[in-house]
Amino acid sequence: MADVRAGTTADIESVKAALSRAFHDDPVMAYLFPNESGREARLQSFFASEAKRSLAKGRLETAGATTSQGGAIWFGPGHWKLGGFELLSQLPMIVRFGTNVPRALRLLGQIEKVHPKEPHWYLAVLGTDTAHQGKGIGSALLAPVLAICDEEGIPAYLESSKESNIPFYNRHGFEVTCEVTAKDGPTIWPMYREPRPPNS
């Protein structure tokens, strides 16, 4: 059984490293950061920024007693979207997109258009370090917040960047709502989960 716990500021370094390895070959990340030689540094900056924001606006889950084996970055109801001051604070991270800023903003705009408006928990990132995949860590990382969703009757939402991950999310109650395809780029599958009644 994976050792999953709520993450803290002290976990950000380890979580960002695990997530950067998990997403190194992700089609969306490869589209946003096409230069493979600089991708890891940019991924680490991105995941560190999102993990830090989740500590204030949602929950950060990590697996592993000391070194993170994976992480889940969640934003609570009403907190998924960057506000004005938050956006300013993200400028150093945005600069890391380099010449790809326009395509990044265009894709984010497409994704935002289909994002649910009603209150929900938003799973921004879920990843398991490549060395620990296939051990149930992803399911364990989902469990704490999905339990909150069920207890409080709140939906959950995510975007899957790989079609092969859809069956995994289906098993946890998520269903595809549509497809979003980037210009000359990958397809993304938004997925929505209705809360499950107790003991279902």
Side-chain angles (χ1 to χ4, degrees):
M1 185 68 177
D3 178 20
V4 171
R5 57 185 173 81
T8 67
T9 302
D11 294 302
I12 290 178
E13 288 296 311
S14 186
V15 169
K16 78 175 186 182
L19 290 176
S20 69
R21 288 188 288 270
F23 280 86
H24 186 79
D25 65 346
D26 180 84
V28 172
M29 293 305 173
Y31 174 76
L32 296 177
F33 306 115
N35 183 352
E36 188 170 0
S37 63
R39 189 179 302 154
E40 183 173 353
R42 287 175 168 81
L43 287 176
Q44 289 208 19
S45 177
F46 173 73
F47 290 131
S49 176
E50 288 293 273
K52 181 178 179 182
R53 196 163 69 92
S54 74
L55 291 174
K57 302 289 187 178
R59 283 177 66 113
L60 173 65
E61 303 292 338
T62 184
T66 52
T67 302
S68 179
Q69 299 169 354
I73 296 174
W74 290 91
F75 295 105
H79 293 297
W80 66 272
K81 193 172 183 179
L82 281 170
F85 288 110
E86 284 182 309
L87 188 59
L88 287 175
S89 73
Q90 300 293 307
L91 282 178
M93 183 272 293
I94 293 171
V95 167
R96 284 190 172 271
F97 284 103
T99 57
N100 297 307
V101 168
R103 70 159 55 178
L105 294 177
R106 185 168 57 245
L107 177 57
L108 292 174
Q110 287 180 260
I111 294 171
E112 185 175 321
K113 284 181 181 178
V114 300
H115 200 110
K117 303 298 187 292
E118 65 271 19
H120 61 278
W121 276 89
Y122 173 49
L123 178 62
V125 182
L126 174 69
T128 303
D129 197 331
T130 50
H132 299 282
Q133 291 176 1
K135 301 177 181 178
I137 291 172
S139 293
L141 286 165
L142 285 177
V145 173
L146 292 187
I148 292 172
C149 291
D150 293 341
E151 289 167 10
E152 300 182 357
I154 298 174
Y157 178 77
L158 61 86
E159 296 105 6
S160 178
S161 55
K162 290 183 177 180
E163 189 172 14
S164 59
N165 288 340
I166 291 175
F168 166 78
Y169 289 120
N170 285 157
R171 291 196 296 273
H172 293 280
F174 289 90
E175 298 293 339
V176 172
T177 59
C178 63
E179 293 183 5
V180 175
T181 301
K183 182 180 179 182
D184 302 319
T187 296
I188 297 167
W189 291 267
M191 303 187 73
Y192 192 82
R193 180 187 186 271
E194 295 284 358
R196 292 176 167 176
N199 303 318
S200 65

